[in-house]
Amino acid sequence: RSKRRKKLRKKLSTLEVDKGAPLKGKLLIQMFEKSSLRTRLSFYLAIKQLGGGTLTLRSNELHLGQGGESIADTAKILSTYGDGFMLRTDSDKKVENFRKYLSIPVINGLSPSSHPTQVLSDVFTVEEIKKKPISKLNICWIGDSNNVLDSLIAASVKFSFKLSIGCPKKFEPGTKVRNWVKKNKKKIFIYNDPKKAVSNADVIFSDKVISLNDKVNKKKKLAQFKKFKIDKKLMGHAKKNCIFLHCLPRGNEVTDDIFLGKKSHVWQQALNRVHVEEASIQFDPTTNVPEVSMGMNSEGARVWSRITGANIGKPIINHDKSS
Ligand code: CP
Ligand code: NVA
């Protein structure tokens, strides 16, 4: 669906509305408790291009942050005024609570445990560039065990691709995540030697070593990741046509010549978020079963619902049959 949407938009200018304005009259409310450039802009464009509108809130300007209004009451108001709610927060619990109290869809725009809209879009970008299903490719992650990696791991289970992770021992994915993968009868491959992790890779992903609001000794952590810097030499251990992707913003985990070089597709990756978000905010699980077939009560479904970010069962609009 994202592929078709992207093609259809080729001749349209930035704010021109898609034919039929499928989200005409709909309002997506966005709330950011942490900084954002891409997520904010891509959702703005996604809803605008579908004919709807968006309003961005800062949590410290609401009663929720300062005046002690409950999430339940805030959620009730959001559900009365808007048609969808996108939230970027430092609290997974808050995402769960909004999910509980909102009667409109809630989209996870990044939380400590996941960054679903990023990774959905990344899967799309990989398949677009490689022209192959991601299940046929070797995907590698070099970096911290953070929210983006957790979503990538969940995606590797969902889309059945081989995922190799290169990171220092101390920063490997935790037992909760590893047990979840095992429970789903899948495997992830973890290496403390970056050369081994990238060996045979079709795609190398990375992200900042220090995430937003990461409460660590930054200097010490950066030093621990020193040998995991992605440079020409490390890329040389991957497949010849291996590509480099990064969600941005970047730190010094990758050299400029790789990040800005021919193997890097980071700008295309960033822009694709608009098209994938357009497809996902129109997603109607009642007519499109596979994504929700795991059921809501298993841990798998919880992680997957974080990937899709959708509040299952409550689409913004009905399935767009033309796309
Ligand atoms: N990749 C990403 O989510 O970027 P922002 O933090 O700028 O939204
Ligand atoms: N892992 C990063 C992703 C930023 C888009 C963070 O949480 O800051």
Side-chain angles (χ1 to χ4, degrees), residues 34 38-39 88 110-112 115 118 141 146-148 207-208 210-213 247-249 273:
K34 301 166 87 170
R38 284 142 286 265
T39 306
R88 171 169 289 197
L110 185 147
S111 72
H115 195 2
Q118 177 69 52
W141 170 273
N146 62 16
N147 42 11
V148 180
D207 186 11
K208 278 177 90 153
I210 313 285
S211 279
L212 287 165
N213 304 358
C247 62
L248 287 160
R273 293 204 46 198

Side-chain angles (χ1 to χ4, degrees), residues 179-201:
N179 287 341
W180 179 79
V181 173
K182 234 185 249 165
K183 218 172 94 193
N184 281 279
K185 300 186 175 48
K186 291 275 174 16
K187 264 188 174 174
I188 47 175
F189 301 85
I190 303 171
Y191 303 91
N192 303 132
D193 176 351
K195 290 195 280 297
K196 284 192 182 144
V198 303
S199 143
N200 228 15

